[in-house]
Amino acid sequence: EEPAAAEEPAAAEEPAAAEPPRVLVLDCGGITNPDCEAGNESVAAAMGVPPAMARAGHKAAWARSRASPHEAGYWHTAMEVAGVAEAERTPERAAACEAALAPALRRCYAETAAVARRLKEERGMVVGVISNHLARGC
């Protein structure tokens, strides 16, 4: 009987070339563009409190609204935590806070939109944008 031939090691396979990314998700607020905190000075003036207090109120209200998407009392929470007296937490003051924040929140960042469009059109990528900015037609 003849001795068994030694098995030859299998040839190492070449690793597959990595495919280019096909999906990109951009988180705008505080990442690719300024966060809506850019309007904090104006919101503080509308609340009648120092900017640090308005920032604390905004942060608390934001956390609550993220935990419960149906949270309806955003500005009430923000004003309460910021130290606005209960009698002054009115719908009119909430509207003033919203109006003060609007220029920072409803702003179009054309540069980010242009990059997203180019990636989609030129490279065929699926592009998602996560943003709390409410601008339309960007």
Side-chain angles (χ1 to χ4, degrees), residues 2-137:
E2 290 185 31
E7 288 189 30
E8 300 224 1
E13 290 185 29
E14 291 287 322
E19 290 194 32
R22 305 292 304 156
V23 176
L24 176 67
V25 177
L26 300 170
D27 182 358
C28 292
I31 306 298
T32 62
N33 305 100
D35 203 334
C36 64
E37 290 291 322
N40 190 62
E41 298 284 329
S42 298
V43 171
M47 283 187 184
V49 298
M53 297 299 290
R55 194 173 300 109
H58 186 63
K59 185 176 180 177
W62 179 245
R64 185 176 287 175
S65 70
R66 288 184 63 140
S68 176
H70 302 291
E71 173 70 29
Y74 184 90
W75 289 112
H76 178 81
T77 299
M79 289 187 280
E80 179 181 26
V81 172
V84 175
E86 187 172 356
E88 295 179 25
R89 295 181 215 146
T90 64
E92 294 78 20
R93 185 162 287 213
C97 291
E98 182 70 27
L101 183 60
L105 191 61
R106 289 177 175 82
R107 183 172 165 207
C108 179
Y109 293 97
E111 301 87 1
T112 300
V115 169
R117 271 193 292 282
R118 283 186 57 206
L119 289 169
K120 180 180 177 182
E121 293 168 1
E122 295 176 13
R123 298 195 184 175
M125 294 182 78
V126 175
V127 180
V129 178
I130 299 170
S131 177
N132 300 318
H133 294 267
L134 304 174
R136 297 188 199 289

